Each structure stands twice: as structure tokens, then as C-alpha cells.
Amino acid sequence: MRLTKSTDIALRIVMRLAVVDGRSNPTTREVADVMGVQYTHAAKVVSQLQHLGVVEAKRGRGGGLALTATGRAGSIGHLVRQLEGVGDVVDCEGDVPCPLSSACRLRRALRQAQEAFYASLDPLRVDDLVADPTGPVLLTLQPR
């Protein structure tokens, strides 16, 4: 299973916000610089995280990004499902439908594997991801 680049960026942003929470509210640009991602990608991801209720963004003086209570307490598996969207691992009904689609066992096996992947992330929370040694490293990161 491979996650999209957007999901990868989202998880990194959430982890960064989890360790700076309460110290300061970094801007999207600051988080993008520290995490080594393009600002435009980070801005799109932050907007999506806001829509999901994971991140709060305030404009102007004293503004910035902060992790919400939902973002901190929510399941990583649930978040990844929301970011990745619902869909099959393979597209059996694409432009050229698979000739095995009426009798294929692979599609079901791949769906089960995908759900097992998400299920393994379900018990994890953001605090689990930023526990030692990750959290202290996240705090030492500097803009590239």
C-alpha cells in the first residue's frame, strides 16, 4: 500500500503541530519550510486538515496553525482513511476493464489487505507518533 504525497505531508504537518502546540502557532509557510515541503502543497493540505477539523488556522497577528482537540485525540487510521478517500487498491473498471472482473478473487483480497493496513493505524494517536525519539527531533528541525 502506498500513501499519496498529500497524506504524507498531512501526517508530517500534524506531527509538527503536535510538538509545538502551546509554544507558538507556526504559519503554513514555517511548517512547510521546516518539514521540507513546497508551500503550495502544504497550503492545500492545511486547508484539507481544516475541513476535517484536525487543524485550526488563524490569520493575522497572533495567528498561525494549531492542532485541534479532535486532531490530537483522533485515530491516525481514521485520518488516513479521510485523506486517502474510499477506493480500491486497483482500478478494475478503468478505461479498459479487467477481463477477470466477473470472477476475480484478487480484488477482494486487496480490499482486505487495505483494510488491515488502516486497522493497524486505528489505535494510534498523534501523541503516539511524536513520542520519543521523534518528538525531540521534530523540535530541533530548522528551515531548509
Side-chain angles (χ1 to χ4, degrees):
M1 170 105 204
R2 184 177 200 119
L3 298 178
T4 62
K5 186 71 170 170
S6 293
T7 298
D8 173 45
I9 292 169
L11 292 172
R12 289 195 272 161
I13 288 172
V14 167
M15 290 170 65
R16 176 64 180 185
L17 294 177
V19 296
V20 299
D21 203 30
R23 298 171 192 213
S24 66
N25 291 342
T27 65
T28 301
R29 186 168 304 281
E30 290 168 344
V31 172
D33 289 345
V34 167
M35 298 311 294
V37 299
Q38 290 183 8
Y39 169 76
T40 54
H41 290 119
K44 287 179 189 176
V45 168
V46 165
S47 176
Q48 190 175 17
L49 290 170
Q50 277 183 274
H51 179 71
L52 294 173
V54 174
V55 169
E56 180 180 43
K58 293 181 183 174
R59 294 179 156 234
R61 189 176 182 103
L65 303 175
L67 201 57
T68 65
T70 300
R72 184 167 292 283
S75 160
I76 296 300
H78 177 74
L79 178 59
V80 171
R81 279 184 189 91
Q82 295 296 311
L83 294 166
E84 289 291 312
V86 179
D88 288 327
V89 176
V90 293
D91 185 10
C92 300
E93 307 299 329
D95 293 339
V96 179
C98 177
L100 299 175
S101 62
S102 65
C104 184
R105 298 179 80 177
L106 178 62
R107 186 180 204 176
R108 181 170 177 242
L110 290 173
R111 271 194 204 132
Q112 289 174 334
Q114 181 181 33
E115 186 49 41
F117 172 79
Y118 290 139
S120 71
L121 296 173
D122 283 340
L124 295 175
R125 305 291 179 256
V126 175
D127 288 338
D128 298 322
L129 298 180
V130 298
D132 281 346
T134 308
V137 171
L138 282 164
L139 287 171
T140 63
L141 296 177
Q142 298 296 318
R144 294 181 182 188

